[in-house]
Amino acid sequence: MFSDIERIFKNRLKNKKSLEGIDQDELWGGIAGAIESAPSRGASSVKKWGLLLFLLLLASGAGYIYLSQDHTSTAVEPTQKGAVAANPVEGNSDYDNSPKQSTQASPKSKIEQQIVTKNPAPTGNRTTGKPDNSPKSTNHTVGSSNPAPAPALSDSNVQKEGTKAVATGLFSDKRPSNTSETSADEKAKYFVENISSLPVTYLNIPEAKLTGLSYQPSQHEKEETYKPLLEFSFLSGVNTMRIIPKGGGNLSTFTEQLSKATATNAGISSGFRVAYLMNRQLSVISGIDYEKTQTVFEFTADKTAPVWVPDHLAKYSLDPITGDTINAEYGAMINQRTIHHVLHHNKFTSISIPLELGYRKALGVWTVGINMGASYNFFLSQKGRTINTELDIYDFDDKTTANRPFRKSFFALQLNPYVDLRVNDRFSIRFNPVLKYQNHGMSDLYKTKQSSVLMGLRGGLVVRW
Amino acid sequence: MIIPNALIEGCQKKDRSAQKRLYTLLLPYLNAVCGRYLNYTEERQDTLQEAFIKIFTNINQFDPSRSQFKTWAVKITINCCLKCNVKAAKNDTQEFLPEQNSQTVTPKVLEKLSDEDLQNFLKTMPQKYYEVFNLHIIDGFSHKEIAALLNIEEALSRKRLSRARAWLSSKSTQVEMMVFGVNEIGNLN
């Protein structure tokens, strides 16, 4: 019995032909268009290499910015400057061989504190911007890396030449090795000899303070802290889009039905932003955002139309003797009521290129800010179901249908308040609610103007260079 | 149906007229396949388009020594249909389908039914059983192939087939009662 049934199914259905439910020309148009626009292997290879080249250029640019920032910005930490102000060097002291505790980890003499404070990096002359070309050099490195105690310097060890007191050798790379084993006289001799040929202006020591060798950093220097120029943020999160159709008059019923049938649903968004920091508060921001938004379409189409009795609704009667079918209802017209209920998740993907102006305020480890601006947006894809103006259920897809709910490109206004949690000078964690008003213009499908509001919450990492 | 080699070669050379001719030849078969496999009728045109694009862009991979061209094309189409079903299910796409009347079936009755009726009748079977029944009984795929296509175990494919047969059996019992007890078999949707 089963094999007979299965045989019937196989014979009747396997080689069945049908052209029902399709528009041959439209389908061929879609296929031909897709084959035409399908990228060849060569083209995709070029695209891949192009992308690689772009990333390489981007990395090179970022590297260049990083390196140039590293050279131009001072590495002096505010705390180190504070050490200078807090520990002014007192004058009129003779050589002092006993190590003194400073704010540095290792004990240092007063003069060395100054040297270290002014020049914490081994090369040491970034503040003045002058090259390290001191004429004399000995065998010791001056800097915070040297924990050995060094002799202090008295006024008598600094000679004045008019306005130019000289202290050559302070920045030299070398000085007598193993200071702990060197006699006090040798150390003193080393400093006197080397300091004697360096203009005091080289150290930026005010002449008035020269007697005590005390140094007060200028206001400019006090403010000279870590100053990033660019800020890169990588954010991602969730969004929802609320569509607002604008249709009055004859379209009011349609727009009402459309609004009723369309509900918001969660989507995702991610973006990359570059902010040019004009000063501590203001910045100009651009970048690229990818938005994948979803809406839920739920609609019931209830229509009645006269149709011929379809095969599957016709009543069959079998002749009890011959087994033949007696079909009395073929050929009749009936009113067919069609109820078509659809619940579907529509998907829209788009790219956004924003241009924003940002304002921020630092509050300890937190920074609050707001970016405002406009963006140019374009849809990558629109796929789903909706209704057309005749209230019929309509499938839309970029590949197959000419009319879609939204135009390909549109402009938007956006507001991005944010809160940054500062991890260190270079990194922050950002929380960023997003509010975007999108003006879609006239819809090809709905024949009415549309706008939408996109709301979201994103989080991510901020890197400053 | 046998597809001429010259036509396939033309398509491999991206000859548009050959592609159109192949499309015209294959369309009725592949459309019927979509009708059998797709759970969501609205997706038929999209799925067919996707299947044809795959056929034309991968036609150089067709190996005549392994199968007939039509079989190869049908397999691609079935794959597209199954993917579409999974995707639509993920999207929670739901369509209201009027409830079918309880149906009864014997070979004699089946022979009286149109192809459409047969297909509609089969579609009243639980979907998972229907997929395996379709693939194994109608399209002749082995359980191993079905397991790969549906991403299930081979044993599960066998189990689903036996359940599909049991489902048919239950319908058959009803028809026996109807045929011998009542003259009118009833509404055959």
Side-chain angles (χ1 to χ4, degrees):
Chain A
M1 177 77 82
F2 290 132
S3 59
D4 286 344
I5 290 174
E6 287 167 8
R7 180 184 49 78
I8 292 167
F9 279 123
K10 184 171 182 174
N11 292 344
R12 297 275 295 279
L13 297 181
K14 183 163 187 183
N15 292 313
K16 186 188 162 198
K17 293 182 186 178
S18 163
L19 288 171
E20 188 196 337
I22 49 163
D23 181 333
Q24 288 188 62
D25 292 334
E26 190 185 318
L27 180 59
W28 173 247
I31 294 165
I35 299 168
E36 191 81 40
S37 60
S40 64
R41 281 178 189 276
S44 98
S45 171
V46 167
K47 214 176 198 178
K48 208 183 287 174
W49 282 108
L51 184 68
L52 197 67
L53 189 68
F54 173 73
L55 289 175
L56 205 64
L57 284 172
L58 198 69
S60 308
Y64 173 75
I65 290 166
Y66 174 76
L67 290 174
S68 56
Q69 279 291 98
D70 195 38
H71 283 293
T72 52
S73 67
T74 176
V76 175
E77 294 293 333
T79 52
Q80 290 175 311
K81 289 196 169 184
V84 173
N87 300 287
V89 177
E90 293 172 6
N92 298 322
S93 62
D94 291 322
Y95 296 131
D96 183 3
N97 287 334
S98 62
K100 290 186 177 180
Q101 197 69 31
S102 73
T103 52
Q104 301 295 323
S106 59
K108 288 181 174 65
S109 69
K110 291 173 184 175
I111 185 66
E112 193 165 358
Q113 280 180 30
Q114 278 209 2
I115 294 162
V116 169
T117 307
K118 278 293 285 178
N119 304 282
T123 50
N125 53 7
R126 287 182 186 170
T127 308
T128 57
K130 290 185 179 180
D132 187 5
N133 57 355
S134 50
K136 292 179 183 178
S137 66
T138 51
N139 295 325
H140 276 246
T141 302
V142 176
S144 59
S145 60
N146 184 1
L153 183 66
S154 72
D155 291 350
S156 59
N157 295 329
V158 180
Q159 297 176 4
K160 292 184 181 179
E161 288 180 5
T163 57
K164 287 185 179 176
V166 288
T168 305
L170 286 178
F171 293 99
S172 61
D173 290 340
K174 296 169 184 176
R175 61 176 180 166
S177 60
N178 198 3
T179 51
S180 62
E181 293 174 6
T182 312
S183 70
D185 286 347
E186 280 173 339
K187 290 172 187 171
K189 191 180 174 186
Y190 157 73
F191 274 104
V192 170
E193 282 175 358
N194 288 287
I195 288 168
S196 65
S197 60
L198 182 69
V200 74
T201 49
Y202 193 86
L203 279 174
N204 203 17
I205 298 173
E207 196 176 351
K209 304 277 184 182
L210 198 59
T211 313
L213 282 178
S214 62
Y215 169 69
Q216 294 297 326
S218 66
Q219 189 61 31
H220 170 72
E221 283 173 321
K222 278 181 182 172
E223 287 175 0
E224 191 177 31
T225 54
Y226 182 73
K227 282 183 181 174
L229 189 66
L230 293 174
E231 189 178 83
F232 301 88
S233 50
F234 308 88
L235 304 169
S236 63
V238 292
N239 65 30
T240 61
M241 183 171 75
R242 178 81 193 165
I243 300 167
I244 309 162
K246 297 172 186 169
N250 296 334
L251 284 169
S252 59
T253 312
F254 165 68
T255 52
E256 192 185 323
Q257 290 280 333
L258 183 63
S259 296
K260 213 181 282 180
T262 310
T264 58
N265 197 28
I268 56 164
S269 76
S270 53
F272 166 72
R273 299 289 180 92
V274 183
Y276 173 71
L277 308 176
M278 294 189 288
N279 56 36
R280 284 173 188 274
Q281 277 89 36
L282 295 175
S283 55
V284 179
I285 305 109
S286 189
I288 190 163
D289 286 339
Y290 170 81
E291 307 277 3
K292 184 173 182 178
T293 49
Q294 288 195 106
T295 60
V296 180
F297 171 72
E298 186 169 14
F299 187 74
T300 303
D302 186 347
K303 291 203 168 182
T304 305
V307 292
W308 293 103
V309 175
D311 285 357
H312 68 279
L313 291 179
K315 283 193 174 180
Y316 291 82
S317 300
L318 289 187
D319 187 310
I321 300 162
T322 63
D324 290 339
T325 304
I326 303 162
N327 183 1
E329 290 191 23
Y330 261 136
M333 288 284 284
I334 57 166
N335 273 329
Q336 181 178 292
R337 185 182 178 203
T338 311
I339 298 173
H340 193 177
H341 180 81
V342 169
L343 172 64
H344 191 81
H345 288 214
N346 296 342
K347 289 189 179 69
F348 305 91
T349 56
S350 63
I351 292 286
S352 171
I353 300 169
L355 184 62
E356 296 171 341
L357 189 66
Y359 175 80
R360 70 178 64 194
K361 189 165 177 61
L363 304 164
V365 293
W366 297 96
T367 300
V368 292
I370 188 164
N371 299 339
M372 289 172 291
S375 63
Y376 171 72
N377 304 262
F378 56 93
F379 278 108
L380 297 175
S381 72
Q382 302 181 48
K383 191 170 182 184
R385 292 181 181 184
T386 185
I387 47 173
N388 58 20
T389 48
E390 279 78 45
L391 300 181
D392 291 325
I393 291 167
Y394 182 88
D395 287 14
F396 60 90
D397 185 351
D398 292 296
K399 292 173 190 166
T400 53
T401 50
N403 294 332
R404 290 172 290 272
F406 302 114
R407 289 166 70 175
K408 182 86 178 168
S409 60
F410 61 93
F411 282 95
L413 296 173
Q414 54 207 50
L415 197 66
N416 293 315
Y418 61 84
V419 178
D420 282 359
L421 173 62
R422 183 177 153 138
V423 178
N424 58 32
D425 280 341
R426 186 138 297 178
F427 296 103
S428 292
I429 295 169
R430 177 167 293 182
F431 305 97
N432 175 204
V434 177
L435 184 64
K436 198 168 167 184
Y437 173 79
Q438 306 180 131
N439 183 13
H440 297 286
M442 182 69 80
S443 165
D444 297 334
L445 180 61
Y446 303 141
K447 311 293 179 202
T448 179
K449 285 185 178 175
Q450 284 193 111
S451 58
S452 63
V453 175
L454 189 134
M455 287 180 288
L457 182 65
R458 303 198 290 191
L461 188 69
V462 179
V463 183
R464 283 176 289 275
W465 270 338
Chain B
M1 180 188 67
I2 295 173
I3 310 282
N5 281 338
L7 196 58
I8 297 168
E9 283 164 12
C11 292
Q12 285 171 338
K13 289 172 189 165
K14 301 190 191 305
D15 175 3
R16 186 49 54 88
S17 62
Q19 287 174 335
K20 179 79 192 283
R21 173 110 184 88
L22 185 64
Y23 162 78
T24 313
L25 278 173
L26 284 176
L27 182 62
Y29 292 101
L30 301 191
N31 187 36
V33 168
C34 284
R36 274 194 290 128
Y37 280 93
L38 278 179
N39 295 336
Y40 308 96
T41 50
E42 305 284 340
E43 306 284 347
R44 182 182 286 206
Q45 189 137 334
D46 285 0
T47 310
L48 267 175
Q49 177 169 321
E50 193 186 334
F52 271 109
I53 291 167
K54 278 190 179 169
I55 289 166
F56 287 127
T57 50
N58 296 302
I59 200 164
N60 287 318
Q61 293 172 22
F62 167 65
D63 181 359
S65 64
R66 291 179 65 182
S67 68
Q68 285 187 6
F69 187 82
K70 187 188 151 197
T71 312
W72 182 76
V74 164
K75 200 167 179 178
I76 286 177
T77 310
I78 290 172
N79 244 321
C80 290
C81 291
L82 295 174
K83 275 185 190 167
C84 177
N85 287 344
V86 171
K87 204 171 159 189
K90 267 187 193 166
N91 287 343
D92 296 333
T93 297
Q94 295 170 12
E95 284 194 49
F96 172 83
L97 291 172
E99 198 172 323
Q100 307 284 330
N101 290 335
S102 181
Q103 294 169 54
T104 51
V105 62
T106 60
K108 196 177 247 182
V109 174
L110 289 179
E111 280 172 359
K112 301 291 177 190
L113 292 175
S114 70
D115 293 348
E116 273 310 306
D117 294 332
L118 275 181
Q119 192 169 295
N120 287 337
F121 166 71
L122 269 187
K123 279 198 167 181
T124 59
M125 190 187 288
Q127 189 206 327
K128 288 177 179 175
Y129 308 159
Y130 172 70
E131 278 179 350
V132 175
F133 184 87
N134 230 344
L135 287 164
H136 186 74
I137 302 295
I138 299 172
D139 288 308
F141 284 88
S142 68
H143 284 292
K144 195 176 176 183
E145 287 172 312
I146 294 169
L149 271 169
L150 299 178
N151 199 20
I152 56 172
E153 292 292 322
E154 216 175 307
L156 185 58
S157 170
R158 290 178 199 282
K159 195 185 276 183
R160 284 181 184 176
L161 180 66
S162 69
R163 285 181 180 170
R165 284 174 163 158
W167 184 88
L168 274 177
S169 168
S170 70
K171 298 292 174 188
S172 180
T173 310
Q174 287 175 30
V175 88
E176 294 290 324
M177 290 169 63
M178 295 288 286
V179 168
F180 294 113
V182 188
N183 285 339
E184 188 175 277
I185 288 180
N187 292 334
L188 298 171
N189 294 346

